[in-house]
Amino acid sequence: MTSDNLLTVASDWQEQARECLLKENYTSAALLYEQAIEAEPNVKSYYWQLGLMLLLQGEEAEAQTTWWLGMAEGDPEEIEQWTQELVQVLEAEAERQRLQRKDYAVAWAVRQHLREINPANLHNLLHLMALSILLDTYTGEEPHSLGVIELLKSNKPLSSNHELLMQLWKSVLDYAPLHPSTLELTEACLPHVQEPQIFIDTLIHFVYIISYIDRQFPLAVKFTELGLRLDPKHPELLRTLSSFYQDIGESAKGIEMARFGYSVMEKLADKVYACHLIIRGMMTAGGYGDEAYSTFQTLKSLLAELIEQQPTDLDSSTTVRLFSSIFFYPYFQDKPQENIQIRRQIAEICQSNVPNYAKEQMEKCRQRRSSAVKTDVPKKPLKIGYMSYCLRRHSVGWLARWVFEHHDRDRFEIYAYLLGSDSKLRHDPLEEWYIDKASKTRKLGLHGPEAAELICDDEIDILVELDSLTLNTSCEIAMLKPAPIQVSWLGWDAPGIPNIDYFIADPYVLPESAEDYYVEKIWRLPQCYIAVDGFELDVPRERRDRLNIPNDAVAYVSFQRGYKYNSHTVRLQMQIIQAVPNSYFLLKGLGDEESLKSFFTEIAESEGVNADRLRFLPIVATETIHRANLGIADVVLDTYPYNGATTTMETLWMGIPMVTRVGEQFSARNSYTMMMNAGVTEGIAWTDEEYVEWGIRLGKEPVLRQQISWKLRQSRQTAPLWNGKQFTREMEKAYEEMWHRYLENNR
């Protein structure tokens, strides 16, 4: 059939043209519209459709010429009307291509022509941005290059574009979270938000990802500040921003925000956490001393009131936050019975509220446990799951790796559950090392019930959590009990959760009386609860001459977090410095530099120590440099009531004498067990007086320091602390005995 008689044969040529379009027979459709124009040249819609058919064939110049011909010889009002008609045609086709054909490239091309016709059509521009994301061509420049941000800032009403804008905004957050324009787009959206709570909920979810997963805390601060413009008293935004300020070192802002949050919180559980955030800010900064202790007393009163109330209507976020609220107890007081009692009481409240939001997951985990024992034949290999937020460049990550290195793969199948690691943007070499060593790895977010389900699906026999109260998600997972046996090890102290069966310890790190008040059963390994094969070192960056310290001076060192410094112990340390002539105290700590300087200087001068004898060192880039820099020390002075842990092991590995004050709680006995398992007792003090005496003696007796250093270097070949393989065998023996007991008790 020729083009000349297409119109005369078709009973309904427009329907036929439509069918040609749907069948992608654009050439035939174009011929029909050409015939229509020849027959009725004044019907403008034929030009719009013919141009579209040419465009769909890739003949863009011809399409534009056709539309121009259709517009010719019209007055301004007619041209405006015709333009609107053309826009409707192109808009309809762009949506057809996007929704029905899923051909995003063609939809994008059609909308580009719409943009040429009307550059300020926000509806079209938003769709162009959305299509570029679907096409994976979005660069982040589009909000400016398309003029979207400028149009949004003009404050013109969006009318029907509100939902489209919100959908696009969510897509941009996911696709280009770190591009500067994403923050600008978010700010430009604020005047157009019609449902603030939905917007804020999305924003909070986003900032949690870019902070705790992608580790972009400064950027998370900026986004959270935008959210507060919509609701200056939003509880979750206030909590979040306070934490973020503290995490980026702006402690004063973090404390101020936490105090404001405390003043506007109405529910008791929220006030508890707000009070915790005030303390966290002070402890992160370091140097708040008495003020932090006074706030701690307020927290204790609030927790006592909460325990009396026994709330049963808490949601997920409120429930898991309660675990964090008791984090600082061992930093303030060496009273393990009181500390563990409050942990147990809070854990019981949390456990009673889990069914409010995770009943389905609890039931699934219960069914898995009930079916775990199927035979009397010992299971081989046992599935051991290690769960942590810290299996990366973190103290826990550096210490736990030897277990992964030495595990017997014939007897044990090793699973790694990496919490908060499902980042598309962050790369951590140590995390990748763990992934390579594990039999199976799951990169998880920070949603406890979802993680518990996945662990349950893997049919793990023994789940070992390494975070304790340092991450409330780990606590939440443990409450759901996705494995028949659950063990707490390494990260902090036992969290006091009834669903955790065992806490790994040793003969030294807990006193014998601990059996009486721990919720978990204490499983004591025969020598040490942690061991490593050693530590990597870099080239040291600190030298005495650069610090203006004489070569014959005695250099005392304390490299700890601001959390661990308190006025009582610092006073003891200054008494040591004052008593040892030609001695200096070198300090490095994660905290507010000026606050720490003021804190130490004030105490030093009150003890008769000139501030010129203090040196404040900057944080270094890597752990290997930090360890190398320890070589500048003659003596390391430990903190109390919260000792060093990784820092203690690094000190001993470097062969440096140290002084530690032993207490009753786990955190006050870390250095004690490590020194015992490294084969040295010199420097172990059981009272404040002994702490000062050992500090002075080690400063004044260089021969004794040399003897200790030699003993520590020799111990690298023989001591339990430096035998990761033997330690792993002891852990494996414990796992097999735990499983045997479980079988016996559940026959």
Side-chain angles (χ1 to χ4, degrees), residues 68 155 171 278 333 507:
W68 180 80
N155 288 327
S171 298
I278 298 172
Q333 58 185 34

Side-chain angles (χ1 to χ4, degrees), residues 360-362 364-365 442 447-459 477 480 482:
E360 181 179 337
Q361 290 86 351
M362 287 185 72
K364 181 175 182 178
C365 292
R442 285 193 185 271
H447 185 244
E450 180 181 322
E453 273 200 272
L454 292 172
I455 295 170
C456 185
D457 290 341
D458 288 337
E459 298 186 346
I477 294 169
L480 292 167

Side-chain angles (χ1 to χ4, degrees), residues 599-636:
F599 174 68
F600 275 94
T601 300
E602 182 179 337
I603 296 177
E605 292 178 345
S606 71
E607 293 293 334
V609 176
N610 194 303
D612 291 342
R613 296 170 69 182
L614 305 181
R615 298 289 185 273
F616 296 92
L617 278 57
I619 302 298
V620 296
T622 66
E623 295 84 356
T624 53
I625 296 174
H626 155 75
R627 295 170 197 142
N629 285 345
L630 278 168
I632 201 171
D634 291 305
V635 182
V636 168

Side-chain angles (χ1 to χ4, degrees), residues 285-305:
Y288 276 78
D290 294 341
E291 188 178 358
Y293 185 77
S294 175
T295 309
F296 173 61
Q297 298 305 313
T298 301
L299 176 64
K300 291 174 73 172
S301 298
L302 291 170
L303 285 169
E305 186 179 348

Side-chain angles (χ1 to χ4, degrees), residues 652-657 678-680 682 702-718 722:
L652 299 175
W653 179 255
M654 291 295 293
I656 302 169
V680 293
E682 298 88 346
V703 173
L704 177 59
R705 295 200 302 269
Q706 291 171 3
Q707 291 172 345
I708 296 170
S709 182
W710 179 86
K711 189 186 295 187
L712 286 171
R713 292 183 185 279
Q714 289 295 111
S715 78
R716 288 184 177 186
Q717 304 300 318
T718 58
W722 313 126

Side-chain angles (χ1 to χ4, degrees), residues 180-220:
S181 67
T182 303
L183 180 66
E184 295 178 83
L185 178 64
T186 303
E187 183 176 17
C189 286
L190 295 181
H192 307 285
V193 172
Q194 295 180 0
E195 299 176 290
Q197 189 56 55
I198 294 176
F199 184 90
I200 289 173
D201 288 346
T202 301
L203 187 67
I204 290 171
H205 177 73
F206 170 72
V207 297
Y208 282 167
I209 291 174
I210 64 170
S211 57
Y212 296 116
I213 294 179
D214 295 332
R215 315 300 293 173
Q216 300 291 325
F217 286 99
L219 184 59

Side-chain angles (χ1 to χ4, degrees), residues 73-244:
E73 299 181 359
D75 59 40
E77 289 187 4
E78 288 177 314
I79 292 175
E80 183 178 351
Q81 177 187 341
W82 297 338
T83 300
Q84 288 302 314
E85 292 175 0
L86 174 58
V87 165
Q88 290 174 6
V89 169
L90 296 179
E91 174 73 31
E93 181 59 22
E95 285 300 272
R96 187 182 76 86
Q97 293 287 341
R98 180 177 71 91
L99 297 174
Q100 296 179 21
R101 298 193 63 244
K102 308 296 182 185
D103 194 330
Y104 305 128
V106 172
W108 185 87
V110 173
R111 289 197 173 279
Q112 278 290 72
H113 284 277
L114 272 170
R115 181 188 171 206
E116 293 180 14
I117 296 169
N118 186 353
N121 184 332
L122 182 61
H123 178 83
N124 184 57
L125 298 176
L126 296 176
H127 271 296
L128 274 172
M129 284 179 60
L131 288 167
S132 66
I133 291 174
L134 292 172
L135 289 167
D136 199 24
T137 60
Y138 186 84
T139 66
E141 301 303 319
E142 289 82 354
H144 282 297
S145 64
L146 295 176
V148 170
I149 288 179
E150 289 71 17
L151 287 171
L152 291 174
K153 286 183 176 180
S154 69
N155 288 327
K156 293 180 180 178
L158 289 185
S159 62
S160 61
N161 288 322
H162 172 263
E163 185 176 348
L164 175 60
L165 175 62
M166 293 298 101
Q167 290 174 349
L168 172 66
W169 173 65
K170 293 176 185 178
S171 298
V172 172
L173 291 181
D174 182 62
Y175 192 87
L178 307 187
H179 197 283
S181 67
T182 303
L183 180 66
E184 295 178 83
L185 178 64
T186 303
E187 183 176 17
C189 286
L190 295 181
H192 307 285
V193 172
Q194 295 180 0
E195 299 176 290
Q197 189 56 55
I198 294 176
F199 184 90
I200 289 173
D201 288 346
T202 301
L203 187 67
I204 290 171
H205 177 73
F206 170 72
V207 297
Y208 282 167
I209 291 174
I210 64 170
S211 57
Y212 296 116
I213 294 179
D214 295 332
R215 315 300 293 173
Q216 300 291 325
F217 286 99
L219 184 59
V221 165
K222 294 178 181 178
F223 276 99
T224 311
E225 288 173 337
L226 293 181
L228 280 175
R229 292 191 196 175
L230 289 178
D231 186 350
K233 294 184 178 181
H234 191 280
E236 188 64 17
L237 288 175
L238 293 173
R239 286 187 286 259
T240 301
L241 189 55
S242 174
S243 295
F244 289 167

